[in-house]
Amino acid sequence: MSHTPTLDEIRRAPKVLLHDHLDGGLRTETIVDLARESGYDRLPTTDPGSLREWFHEAADSGSLERYLETFAHTVGVMQTREALVRVAAECAQDLADDGVVYAEVRYAPEQHTGGGLSLEEVVEAVLEGFRLGSQDGRIRVGTLLTAMRHQARSREIAELAVRYRDVGVVGFDIAGAEAGYPPTRHLDAFEYLQRENAHFTIHAGEGFGLPSIWQAIQWCGADRLGHGVRIIDDITAAGGGDVAETAKLGRLAAYVRDKRIPLEMCPTSNLQTGAAASIAEHPIGLLRRLHFRVTVNTDNRLMSDTTLSREFAKLVEAFGYGWDDLQWFTVNAMKSAFIPFDDRLALINGVIKPGFARLKWAVETK
Ligand SMILES: [Zn+2]
């Protein structure tokens, strides 16, 4: 009989994370410390336990204002070099403790200049934090620089990403409200990155529909899609029988699947933003069965009270996934990373496959 992976076992599996926000994963103890050190006095409470509860409730409330307020606090305490180094170092340690062996963590440098840091100083502080947090060799962390889609600094941030490409910045992203701010507003940045042979992903098709995904791929040339859940709108069930067997893909969905464009799916986060009603109804189930290049991610670990292991455990519970499914998602993610091909291959063959094999053997024979 095949064994259902438990949360504890999933934690021991070598995992890969492509979509995680630095300002969405702080420890609440750290938020309280940093607020005290910097004189930030707007926290709803200075008790780390109550603060943790407050973050989860605000993110779960269904109110966009309350959800955004959570980031006002995390970003609010990340305005000095020391704060950024600490947050990045703890991020690397927390991910490694969860069994993540490779991660791409993103943040928007322009949101961390309120205390007088330059964009370069912000980038260098975060890189230093990740260096310190990963020096025990358990995890490798690459960073993605994000530009905010409602701002007009994307070209500048793209140039920053290229300038730091050889020292730990592996790509670029745009994030923020999709409605009213199509990715084509930032074409200049994307065209620049393409000329520079650089990699980028775009938050698209989270709350907003197919046009956003179509623009991200066909106008902007995105290598990956942040979320991309609304690609499901271009898939129709032919009626009767098993949906995965009768599904008809529209031209955009077929293109995304044919070109193996990675989807950075974040199930719990999608429930909080209303992009899916429950894990069991999340499009990830069908998209996995249709063999899209699906990856599993955390988005904002603090707000969503999650870890990559917990996301996998929820999927195991909802869809009955076994070790082969978890390994498939993990290899998908590693193949889709923005580091060089030989590095990805080394992690797949040297760390991921043997790690899963050992784990499967250990749990099946115990
Ligand atoms: Zn995101």
Side-chain angles (χ1 to χ4, degrees):
M1 198 189 113
S2 103
H3 167 92
T4 303
T6 66
L7 177 59
D8 222 43
E9 291 160 358
I10 294 169
R11 285 204 184 100
R12 286 152 56 200
K15 293 172 294 298
V16 175
L17 176 56
L18 299 180
H19 191 133
D20 188 78
H21 292 263
L22 186 65
D23 53 334
L26 285 76
R27 300 175 186 170
T28 48
E29 294 79 4
T30 300
I31 297 175
V32 170
D33 283 353
L34 294 176
R36 191 179 51 244
E37 287 164 16
S38 66
Y40 180 88
D41 60 4
R42 273 158 287 168
L43 292 183
T45 162
T46 53
D47 173 67
S50 316
L51 188 59
R52 194 172 303 117
E53 292 302 309
W54 179 87
F55 269 99
H56 302 162
E57 278 169 27
D60 261 339
S61 67
S63 147
L64 185 64
E65 288 71 34
R66 288 193 67 195
Y67 192 74
L68 294 178
E69 193 193 340
T70 61
F71 289 95
H73 296 311
T74 55
V75 168
V77 299
M78 295 166 70
Q79 298 297 335
T80 64
R81 176 181 164 83
E82 296 68 36
L84 289 166
V85 170
R86 176 170 172 184
V87 170
E90 291 177 352
C91 171
Q93 289 161 2
D94 291 348
L95 295 178
D97 287 345
D98 188 45
V100 175
V101 294
Y102 176 77
E104 289 177 5
V105 179
R106 63 189 75 193
Y107 66 99
E110 65 199 74
Q111 294 191 304
H112 304 279
T113 54
L117 294 177
S118 66
L119 292 173
E120 288 78 6
E121 286 168 333
V122 171
V123 172
E124 287 165 19
V126 173
L127 288 171
E128 172 65 4
F130 282 129
R131 191 190 65 75
L132 293 170
S134 58
Q135 62 186 357
D136 62 10
R138 294 185 297 162
I139 186 171
R140 174 170 173 181
V141 182
T143 63
L144 306 183
L145 301 191
T146 295
M148 302 308 292
R149 56 205 310 158
H150 59 279
Q151 299 289 353
R153 299 185 76 172
S154 51
R155 170 68 188 244
E156 191 183 358
I157 304 302
E159 287 174 5
L160 197 62
V162 167
R163 202 172 323 143
Y164 285 89
R165 72 196 312 181
D166 293 325
V167 288
V169 174
V170 299
F172 174 83
D173 163 50
I174 59 167
E178 279 183 77
Y181 300 102
T184 43
R185 251 179 122 238
H186 305 281
L187 263 187
D188 181 39
F190 300 125
E191 286 173 354
Y192 163 76
L193 291 164
Q194 287 177 304
R195 305 295 172 265
E196 291 293 335
N197 303 303
H199 305 294
F200 57 96
T201 177
I202 296 179
H203 274 77
E206 180 181 6
F208 211 60
L210 292 174
S212 181
I213 295 177
W214 175 70
Q215 285 197 359
I217 296 168
Q218 307 300 14
W219 287 80
C220 306
D223 296 283
R224 305 193 310 232
L225 289 172
H227 298 285
V229 277
R230 294 326 313 164
I231 196 66
I232 201 82
D233 296 344
D234 202 34
I235 301 173
T236 45
D242 187 341
V243 184
E245 276 159 27
T246 61
K248 289 246 182 308
L249 274 58
R251 290 196 194 280
L252 179 61
Y255 187 92
V256 167
R257 186 171 72 165
D258 291 344
K259 296 282 275 188
R260 314 307 298 139
I261 294 172
L263 304 175
E264 303 162 359
M265 309 211 109
C266 312
T268 302
S269 172
N270 289 160
L271 302 194
Q272 292 180 305
T273 58
S278 69
I279 298 286
E281 292 165 85
H282 193 284
I284 194 169
L286 181 59
L287 295 169
R288 186 264 173 275
R289 292 192 60 200
L290 293 173
H291 297 278
F292 279 77
R293 174 71 72 81
V294 179
T295 69
V296 178
N297 301 276
T298 48
D299 213 8
N300 299 295
R301 286 171 287 115
L302 169 60
M303 287 72 177
S304 297
D305 188 22
T306 198
T307 61
L308 186 53
S309 295
R310 276 195 226 171
E311 293 298 306
F312 275 127
K314 288 182 186 182
L315 295 175
V316 164
E317 194 190 333
F319 300 109
Y321 291 149
W323 288 112
D324 291 345
D325 298 287
L326 303 191
Q327 181 172 326
W328 183 80
F329 285 120
T330 304
V331 171
N332 273 352
M334 200 63 247
K335 284 179 176 171
S336 309
F338 287 159
I339 55 172
F341 172 75
D342 46 358
D343 292 6
R344 285 181 262 153
L345 207 59
L347 278 159
I348 290 172
N349 291 328
V351 177
I352 296 167
K353 286 184 175 172
F356 271 89
R358 268 196 303 276
L359 195 54
K360 274 190 269 190
W361 186 83
V363 300
E364 307 269 338
T365 58
K366 77 179 175 194

